[in-house]
């Protein structure tokens, strides 16, 4: 796949994957087209060399793996981890608001959202809906309005003269999206509006009433290449759907000799403690079934390695002093090894060293990020996975601007380069442990 083809498919994926649920659907479609089969969570897997399998959890997390021709416990599982969720504004359970003649929806902030960029954007709405179709049967389906549906207008500068000096956003009162004019006193029933959308997207669902939902607003502007020479990718949800897609492409190109796995967890942005998050049982329970016995699971853990791929902070030319002098990654200058002495990242000399060897073989440049010593450091699924499973882990990511904004920016060469190294990692022969 050429870099141009890679980016074309990446942009299509980013635009389609408007929620974690839609991201999993997009990933599953590509996996099934490549011959991967869904595993029944309750059945006997009876895995054989050459099988290509996947399973999902909560419709928002995905785990895909190939059974290599060589024994997984003896040679290890080559694993890449990422997450499907992104900071956003989620609709509250009883959201209807009528203020000053406008119909609005109450929202709750999900994750560490950079709130100011959400103003004056064309917003749409997507997610999962549970509904009744008959007296006793619960059904779920995904919805996505796929058109500008709402907006959060800024307050004019004339009414807030200090906006450019000290603007703050109250998440309870300032960010309610406007959906419509509402002249009369009757507030629309949001669940009825959702039912109409359900029937439009799923005409055969026979939805009688909406029971509940998990819905988020998103920027309706599609992902795009920008810059004089199209050297940047601008999109919502680059953190961390870019890594999900890159890991998927590498897995699809694995040669099948080694056992390889892609883990895409939900709920990373809110701590990962859920049934579908990295602190949940999905990964370890799957490894246990692959290994077959506790003794072989111990072998598998000892011989395996995970690359946790999650975006890194690129050095912003307008705020260069926010970076350590020697650790300011540039866009399109290579993927970034993320290091933190206090274990906010799981990288150690062994895992970083292996990555550098693989990158050199692919002639891909490598950068390093260490947060300033006087600033706090974020974290990833890397330390959670390492601590929960005992698997050696590396934290790495593509340098990015405006992380956790409604629209982020990355280099148009970096994701493809990361994908090349991840493919090399999946195909790395023999042991992953140092001699």
């Amino acid at each position: 796949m050429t870099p141009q083809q890679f980016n074309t498919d990446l942009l299509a994926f980013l635009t389609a994957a408007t929620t974690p649920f839609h991201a999993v659907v997009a990933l599953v479609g590509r996996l099934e087209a490549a011959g991967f089969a869904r595993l029944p969570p309750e059945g006997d897997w009876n895995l054989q060399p050459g099988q290509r399998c996947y399973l999902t959890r909560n419709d928002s997390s995905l785990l895909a793996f190939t059974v290599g021709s060589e024994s997984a416990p003896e040679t290890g599982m080559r694993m890449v981890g990422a997450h499907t969720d992104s900071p956003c504004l989620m609709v509250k359970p009883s959201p209807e608001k009528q203020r000053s003649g406008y119909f609005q929806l109450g929202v709750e902030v999900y994750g560490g959202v950079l709130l100011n960029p959400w103003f004056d954007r064309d917003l749409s709405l997507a997610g999962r809906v549970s509904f009744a179709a008959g007296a006793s049967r619960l059904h779920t389906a995904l919805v996505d309005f796929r058109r500008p549906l709402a907006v959060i207008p800024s307050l004019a500068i004339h009414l807030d003269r200090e906006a450019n000096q000290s603007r703050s956003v109250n998440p309870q009162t300032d960010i309610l999206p406007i959906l419509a004019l509402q002249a009369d006193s009757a507030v629309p029933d949001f669940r009825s509006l959702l039912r109409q959308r359900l029937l439009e997207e799923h005409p055969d669902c026979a939805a009688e009433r909406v029971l509940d939902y998990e819905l988020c607003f998103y920027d309706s502007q599609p992902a795009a290449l920008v810059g004089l020479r199209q050297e940047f990718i601008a999109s919502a949800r680059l953190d961390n759907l870019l890594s999900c897609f890159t890991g998927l492409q590498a897995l699809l190109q694995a040669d099948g000799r080694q056992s390889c796995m892609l883990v895409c967890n939900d709920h990373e942005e809110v701590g990962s403690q859920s049934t579908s998050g990295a602190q949940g049982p999905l990964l370890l329970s799957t490894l246990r079934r692959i290994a077959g016995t506790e003794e072989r699971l111990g072998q598998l853990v000892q011989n395996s390695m995970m690359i946790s791929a999650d975006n890194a902070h690129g050095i912003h030319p307008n705020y260069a002093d926010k970076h350590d002098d020697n650790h300011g990654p540039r866009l399109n200058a290579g993927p970034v090894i993320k290091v933190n002495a206090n274990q906010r990242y799981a990288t150690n000399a062994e895992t970083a060293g292996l990555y550098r060897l693989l990158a050199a073989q692919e002639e891909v440049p490598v950068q390093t990020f260490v947060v300033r010593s006087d600033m706090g450091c974020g974290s990833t699924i890397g330390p959670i996975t390492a601590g929960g499973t005992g698997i050696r882990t590396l934290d790495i990511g593509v340098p990015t601007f405006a992380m956790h904004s409604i629209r982020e920016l990355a280099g148009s060469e970096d994701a493809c380069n990361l994908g090349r190294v991840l493919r090399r990692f999946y195909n790395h022969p023999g042991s992953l442990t140092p001699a």
Side-chain angles (χ1 to χ4, degrees), residues 39-283:
L39 286 172
E42 70 286 350
D44 183 2
W45 290 355
N46 190 26
L47 300 172
Q48 301 296 323
Q51 278 189 260
R52 313 179 104 194
C53 316
Y54 76 90
L55 59 151
T56 63
R57 179 67 55 86
N58 187 49
D59 300 327
S60 61
S61 290
L62 175 140
L63 194 155
F65 63 94
T66 60
V67 183
S69 57
E70 301 185 20
S71 167
E74 293 176 10
T75 62
M77 180 75 75
R78 286 125 181 88
M79 306 164 63
V80 172
H83 63 88
T84 58
D85 61 321
S86 301
C88 63
L89 304 181
M90 299 196 70
V91 181
K92 290 182 176 180
S94 298
E96 297 91 345
K97 302 275 189 180
Q98 186 185 42
R99 300 193 301 182
S100 302
Y102 296 93
F103 174 53
Q104 299 176 274
L105 292 180
V107 292
E108 183 177 9
V109 174
Y110 175 89
V113 180
L114 193 61
L115 287 174
N116 277 308
W118 280 78
F119 289 87
D120 309 315
R121 308 291 300 189
D122 298 340
L123 303 178
S124 192
L125 191 62
R128 181 172 67 174
V129 178
S130 64
F131 62 94
S136 59
R137 186 71 185 270
L138 174 69
H139 300 266
T140 64
L142 303 188
V143 297
D144 192 337
F145 283 84
R146 290 285 175 193
R147 64 177 179 84
L149 191 72
V151 66
I152 308 171
S154 292
L155 182 63
I157 189 69
H158 314 78
L159 304 178
D160 183 7
R161 293 292 184 182
E162 302 301 313
N164 291 330
Q165 284 75 44
S166 58
R167 183 185 191 187
S168 61
V169 180
N170 184 312
Q172 173 66 23
T173 60
D174 296 349
I175 57 170
L176 278 66
I178 295 175
L179 278 74
L181 285 166
Q182 190 65 32
D184 56 41
S185 59
V187 180
D189 180 358
F190 181 61
R191 281 176 166 76
S192 295
L193 297 176
L194 271 185
R195 178 177 175 272
Q196 294 175 17
R197 183 61 190 178
L198 263 176
L199 295 173
E200 291 173 7
E201 288 196 50
H202 309 280
D204 299 327
C205 75
E208 295 176 4
R209 70 184 187 279
V210 168
L211 300 172
D212 227 314
Y213 52 80
E214 297 163 86
L215 298 171
C216 64
F217 284 99
Y218 69 90
D219 182 7
S220 63
Q221 184 177 0
L225 292 173
V226 302
L228 285 174
R229 292 174 292 277
Q230 295 193 325
E231 56 262 77
F232 307 118
I233 295 173
S235 176
R237 304 174 297 281
L238 287 178
D239 175 21
N240 188 31
L241 293 183
L242 181 149
S243 298
C244 293
F245 178 85
T246 303
L248 173 70
Q249 291 302 312
L251 181 66
L252 297 182
Q253 296 170 38
D255 60 23
R257 289 177 297 172
Q258 314 297 331
S259 294
C260 302
M261 180 178 287
L262 174 67
V263 185
C264 297
N265 288 118
D266 193 7
H267 298 143
E268 188 273 347
E269 298 292 358
V270 291
S272 294
Q273 192 168 17
S274 70
T275 60
S276 51
Q279 288 200 62
L282 176 61
L283 175 57

Side-chain angles (χ1 to χ4, degrees), residues 13 37 91 167 182 208 212 221 315 331 347 350 421 427:
F13 173 76
V91 181
R167 183 185 191 187
Q182 190 65 32
E208 295 176 4
D212 227 314
Q221 184 177 0
I315 184 167
L331 274 58
T347 303
E350 184 180 305
V421 184
N427 294 335

Side-chain angles (χ1 to χ4, degrees), residues 372-415:
R372 282 178 55 114
S373 298
D374 56 358
M375 295 177 65
C377 183
S379 192
T380 70
I381 66 167
I384 295 171
T385 300
T389 65
I391 293 173
R392 292 167 303 126
T393 302
L394 166 75
D395 270 299
I396 196 161
V398 166
T400 307
F401 290 157
M403 195 180 295
H404 289 195
S405 175
I406 194 171
R407 195 165 178 84
E408 300 162 323
L409 195 74
S412 58
E413 299 174 14
D414 286 326

